[in-house]
Amino acid sequence: MLGPCVSFTKPVCRTCYALAPLFTRPLALTCQAFAPHLLDPCASSMFLQWLLSAKYMRENVCPALSHKNNEVDRHVRLLFTATGPTYVNAAALGISVLARRVRNVYYDKGFAEVFYRELVLHHANVKSTWGRLHLRCLESGNELGNLFPTHTRHWWPIVEDIFASTAVGSLPATLQLAFHDTSEYTCISIDATLKVAMSIKGQASYRASKRLRNEACFGDDEALRRVLTVRGQTGAVLAIQLIKGEDAQEVAGCLEQCLPHSSRLQVLYIMSDSPSVKLLQALQRACPNLKGLALDPIHLAIVYEYGQWRKRTAGSKQLRTLLSKVVQHDPSRGALSWGPLFDGQETAPLTRQEEKWRQEILEWAHTNVYAQRVLQRLDPSVPVLTRVSFIEAVAAVCALHSQEVERKVTGTSKSVRQVLWSACSPQRLEWLFNNQRVRHALSPLQRALLPSGTTSNEALHSEINSWTRSTHEVHRSTLKLKLRIVTLGKQLVHHIATCYPLARQTADGVVLARGVGAPLWNDESWKADSSRQGEPTLHSRTVLCCNP
């Protein structure tokens, strides 16, 4: 039974009237649940202690709310701070409280700094930041930690707003300028991965039929099915971009979009796992000073291991030893020791001896003792001097590991033996030998930290796949923002490690934590960012961009 002084609309007794400014509709129902205590004047103080939310409003909301208004919800706003959620008077926003608004949530400069650091450190995994934010609430004595959203769809608008701000948006341009000053773009490597883009919503799997792919929200012509990574001559992550495919025009257009013109003018050599005349011509339009492409040497060993269930076998180890000779440097030789850079136009055909050894990849005509002697003569520290020595060594690997090379490569109908035979064609060998021509054309300083082919890209793909392994579905705009955050974190780590070397080897996470510790905003810049949200007030709604 409800007491006579309790009303659903307006309290009439003095105790209820004292609480009236703190009432919202849920609090009014709470008051009615404890109606028997309201009838006892001695119990009113105990009832006030029960309404902890009312006590919090009275003690923390400044300026104090008017006691003449029951509709408290219209006059308080939820604000995220560095120490956790809190409520503020709406009249204070834009005056004593400078905050940005995303939907119905406000956040101040302290929260923006904290959330930015946690996102970069946790590789754009929003759920991983929740525990850290709640820990900050506990350390600061904030009891309102449960007011944080519990679903990622409420967090991503805040993430987008923070990384669209002027302070964060200026970081990539500053880092690109620093990379340009250190000639990071002289020799770059490009490669694409497929797995990350398979979780994008609205597009069918690339394995589906053409009819199903075209019936999806994003048809086959619009679907983004690859993630292209670009790394510099010392391993810096220059770009991570979603693209439709790996055709020449698409890759060249991606480079024009993600790299500034001044940086593209610096590009002289590009490493790729599928060089061709068409790709070279397309990239030369994007990078006018580009001299040539080089075939990734380690990609052949990776394909070999695909046929061995992704395991490192005795045959793959010997093949890797042979391929490592392609990226060695001989101080007594120059770039022209292997002829000019191959551009795919004119290829010297195989000689009779080269053709003979290439045929022995399919049918070995010598003893196994001779094959062992060929491989024992390999010196991993000396470059490959001739095509015939390389083909002979490949034939020896096939002879000693015949069972391994007879296996089919995953995803194709070819055996490993047939893949190795194709790799010894004159065109593929010349693209491969471009690695030696490039390395002997670079200075010792440029060559010191130069990765081998696209191995640095493959390592980055493995990291990205591990960070997104638990993501089953994602919007393409969200994935673009995630890749942007990951790129920023990788660039910060590389810039700090190269410009401020440490006395010992340090993990990337430790270096990154030191790099994001400096504040991004001061009072003036935060006030300017808050005022850009629109008119007539400083806390109007944020206009979020929707990427296609």
Side-chain angles (χ1 to χ4, degrees), residues 436-450:
Q436 300 181 130
R437 300 179 180 111
V438 168
R439 286 181 177 271
H440 285 76
L442 296 175
S443 65
L445 183 61
Q446 294 173 322
R447 196 172 53 247
L449 298 176
L450 183 64

Side-chain angles (χ1 to χ4, degrees), residues 116-136:
Y116 157 77
R117 294 168 188 162
E118 296 296 340
L119 280 170
V120 175
L121 288 173
H122 289 91
H123 314 296
N125 191 332
V126 172
K127 286 187 177 181
S128 299
T129 66
W130 293 350
R132 298 281 300 169
L133 295 176
H134 281 273
L135 179 61
R136 286 181 173 272

Side-chain angles (χ1 to χ4, degrees), residues 300 304 315 318-323 326 357-364 371 374-375 378 384 386-402 405 416-425 429 432-433:
L300 186 60
Y304 186 104
Q318 291 181 334
L319 182 61
R320 284 180 177 270
T321 302
L322 172 62
L323 294 172
V326 182
W357 284 112
R358 189 187 183 204
Q359 189 63 29
E360 294 208 13
I361 295 177
L362 302 177
E363 298 177 2
W364 181 254
V374 170
L375 295 179
L378 293 179
V384 179
T386 60
R387 296 191 307 189
V388 65
S389 62
F390 182 86
I391 300 174
E392 182 185 16
V394 173
V397 171
C398 294
L400 293 177
H401 306 280
S402 57
V405 297
V416 176
R417 187 187 298 273
Q418 291 172 324
V419 172
L420 294 176
W421 182 85
S422 300
C424 292
S425 65
L429 287 176
L432 183 64
F433 279 31

Side-chain angles (χ1 to χ4, degrees), residues 514-532:
R514 297 180 180 182
V516 298
L520 287 178
W521 291 274
N522 53 34
D523 294 339
E524 291 75 14
S525 61
W526 179 255
K527 185 176 181 180
D529 275 349
S530 301
S531 63
R532 289 192 186 99

Side-chain angles (χ1 to χ4, degrees), residues 83-117:
T83 58
T86 185
Y87 282 103
V88 296
N89 196 325
L93 292 171
I95 302 175
S96 60
V97 178
L98 296 178
R100 290 181 64 86
R101 177 179 180 178
V102 179
R103 295 182 177 176
N104 291 325
V105 175
Y106 295 79
Y107 66 91
D108 64 0
K109 179 170 70 72
F111 178 81
E113 296 275 11
V114 169
F115 198 36
Y116 157 77
R117 294 168 188 162

